[in-house]
Amino acid sequence: MIQNPTTRIALAVFLASTALGFAGCSSDKRASQMTSFSGKETKSEQASLFTIPQEQMSHIQVVTVAPTTLTRTLRLTGAVAYNAFNTTPVITQVGGPVTRILVTPGEHVKKDQPLLTVSSPDYSLLFASYLKAKDTFRVADKNYDRAKDLYEHNAIAERDLLQAESDRIQAQADLNAALLGMKILGIPDPEKLINAPSSSEIPLLSPIGGEIVERDVSPGQVLTAGTTQAFIISDMKDVWVLANVYQSDLAFVKVGDDVVIQTDSYAGTSFHGKISFVSPAVDPTTRTLQARIVVDNPGEKLKNNMYVTAVVTAGSVQNAIAVPDSSVLRDDENQPFVYIENNSNQFGRRSVEIGQTENGTTQVLSGLAPGDKIAGNGSLFLQFANSFQH
């Protein structure tokens, strides 16, 4: 777009004068093209040269193409995922109906915090077994101490002492098994329950601290021990971004590279991370490889499955050709081209292949060579002039 008011006035004068010059000798079709610019010239017209009056050359910036060094920047599409190393499903170890759900999705919980309660006959039987094993061990332990004292005073035979010792060892094993079963259910200290009111309800405890990101059960639902997944908990202080890397860019993407993550959800805000893994195999459908980026997530703004752009700074490009963004125009087929100066005020189109755009410049991969002179600011002016001169 031409922003300078003087340039706008000059363009208006140029268009008006050109229209008057053609009024007496143009057909209706030519007049229609003049008053309704479409840019749909034929290929031969696009390739031909056209001349700009010398007095109007002040509105056109001519830039000489020269090799330069560019920072190689890759913009990879990707999506946010939970950090699998900080995420865990919560699977109940006890069967029975859910009586109460104590947390909601989005809530932050601490390790060993109760998440729900289950009315479980399995728990009742296991707790009863624990109490019996505890009492049996208590008696066996006393019998062993008594037998040892009697044996030292020659009151009993050695066989009786060994039997008391065996009974104590077996009672200890039964108690350990019952205690381990209680810990598996999420009860690390069953002693606290001995004097508590009798209840068949058992809490399901959080295995880690983090955010409840999914709830998969409802009140009254019957849980199957070791099978039913009740929640998913994730520590959202950092997340993964799974980015797609094309084969042509693979040589420039390495583990440990710094990455800037951008998303339309938070315009003007960037998130920072590092590449931690690059897939060893190409996806047969997309023909891309997946790069895993560990990203800091302050405020937990990045959400699971959110689309993002990963900007990777991957070295530099030596002897690159770069032109101002204003030099590059597109035809009606969306193909990029520039206007190249042939003589002092004679121009023609040249198709180009473009690469990355950064800091107001566009990389040209093919179509230009060092020393070529092209139009910078004022390229749109030339496009109108080119249309009216055909």
Side-chain angles (χ1 to χ4, degrees):
M1 295 295 293
I2 300 175
Q3 303 296 334
N4 192 305
T6 304
T7 305
R8 292 180 178 176
I9 295 173
L11 176 60
V13 172
F14 171 78
L15 296 178
S17 61
T18 307
L20 290 174
F22 282 105
C25 59
S26 298
S27 66
D28 291 341
K29 178 179 179 181
R30 175 63 66 184
S32 173
Q33 291 177 345
M34 289 163 51
T35 57
S36 177
F37 172 70
S38 66
K40 295 183 179 179
E41 302 88 348
T42 65
K43 295 297 182 182
S44 61
E45 287 176 329
Q46 293 174 4
S48 64
L49 299 175
F50 62 97
T51 302
I52 297 298
Q54 188 61 44
E55 62 272 14
Q56 294 175 351
M57 284 296 296
S58 61
H59 304 306
I60 303 169
Q61 176 195 30
V62 177
V63 179
T64 301
V65 176
T68 185
T69 299
L70 295 177
T71 300
R72 180 183 285 107
T73 302
L74 305 179
R75 303 181 68 86
L76 312 176
T77 60
V80 178
Y82 299 128
N83 185 334
F85 298 150
N86 296 328
T87 303
T88 184
V90 182
I91 299 176
T92 177
Q93 296 299 324
V94 62
V98 176
T99 54
R100 289 180 298 159
I101 293 180
L102 306 176
V103 294
T104 58
E107 183 176 342
H108 287 77
V109 297
K110 298 179 180 179
K111 187 177 184 301
D112 293 330
Q113 178 177 332
L115 306 178
L116 55 77
T117 58
V118 181
S119 180
S120 173
D122 297 338
Y123 162 67
S124 301
L125 292 174
L126 190 56
F127 186 54
S129 297
Y130 166 75
L131 294 177
K132 291 177 181 179
K134 185 175 184 301
D135 188 63
T136 301
F137 174 74
R138 180 182 63 82
V139 173
D141 187 54
K142 285 186 176 181
N143 286 339
Y144 174 68
D145 289 340
R146 180 171 174 271
K148 188 165 58 172
D149 181 65
L150 292 173
Y151 178 74
E152 290 174 354
H153 291 82
N154 299 318
I156 60 173
E158 183 180 6
R159 180 185 59 186
D160 296 329
L161 174 63
L162 294 176
Q163 183 62 51
E165 184 179 12
S166 175
D167 292 343
R168 182 182 183 277
I169 292 173
Q170 292 181 34
Q172 179 72 69
D174 292 341
L175 177 60
N176 290 342
L179 183 61
L180 181 60
M182 295 295 287
K183 289 183 177 180
I184 291 175
L185 294 185
I187 303 174
D189 189 6
E191 287 287 332
K192 295 180 179 179
L193 301 177
I194 294 177
N195 298 322
S198 178
S199 173
S200 63
E201 288 189 355
I202 181 174
L204 176 63
L205 305 182
S206 174
I208 64 171
E211 180 182 344
I212 303 292
V213 295
E214 289 186 25
R215 192 193 85 177
D216 300 317
V217 295
S218 303
Q221 180 176 337
V222 178
L223 309 184
T224 302
T227 302
T228 306
Q229 177 177 299
F231 301 93
I232 293 180
I233 300 177
S234 181
D235 188 345
M236 297 290 289
K237 66 182 180 182
D238 57 49
V239 294
W240 286 353
V241 167
L242 305 178
N244 301 312
V245 182
Y246 288 101
Q247 297 180 66
S248 58
D249 295 330
L250 182 59
F252 310 117
V253 177
K254 298 179 177 61
V255 172
D257 284 350
D258 291 325
V259 182
V260 175
I261 303 299
Q262 300 171 342
T263 173
D264 293 340
S265 301
Y266 304 104
T269 301
S270 296
F271 303 85
H272 299 273
K274 286 182 179 291
I275 297 175
S276 64
F277 174 78
V278 178
S279 173
V282 175
D283 187 303
T285 302
T286 63
R287 307 307 302 171
T288 61
L289 295 94
Q290 193 173 81
R292 186 176 70 209
I293 306 166
V294 181
V295 182
D296 293 333
N297 190 21
E300 300 184 358
K301 293 181 179 179
L302 295 177
K303 307 299 183 183
N304 190 45
N305 295 323
M306 181 182 286
Y307 288 116
V308 297
T309 299
V311 182
V312 182
T313 301
S316 60
V317 182
Q318 304 295 325
N319 298 319
I321 299 297
V323 300
D325 290 344
S326 57
S327 297
V328 181
L329 302 174
R330 291 185 179 272
D331 60 20
D332 60 306
E333 296 177 354
N334 202 36
Q335 298 302 309
F337 69 91
V338 299
Y339 281 109
I340 188 166
E341 185 182 43
N342 187 52
N343 291 314
S344 59
N345 59 344
Q346 193 175 50
F347 294 86
R349 282 195 185 188
R350 180 175 292 180
S351 297
V352 293
E353 181 185 357
I354 62 174
Q356 67 184 41
T357 298
E358 199 76 30
N359 298 325
T361 61
T362 298
Q363 181 184 9
V364 176
L365 302 177
S366 64
L368 292 178
D372 288 341
K373 294 184 177 181
I374 63 169
N377 290 332
S379 293
L380 189 60
F381 180 91
L382 290 178
Q383 190 174 22
F384 277 94
N386 187 18
S387 173
F388 281 112
Q389 290 193 26
H390 288 307

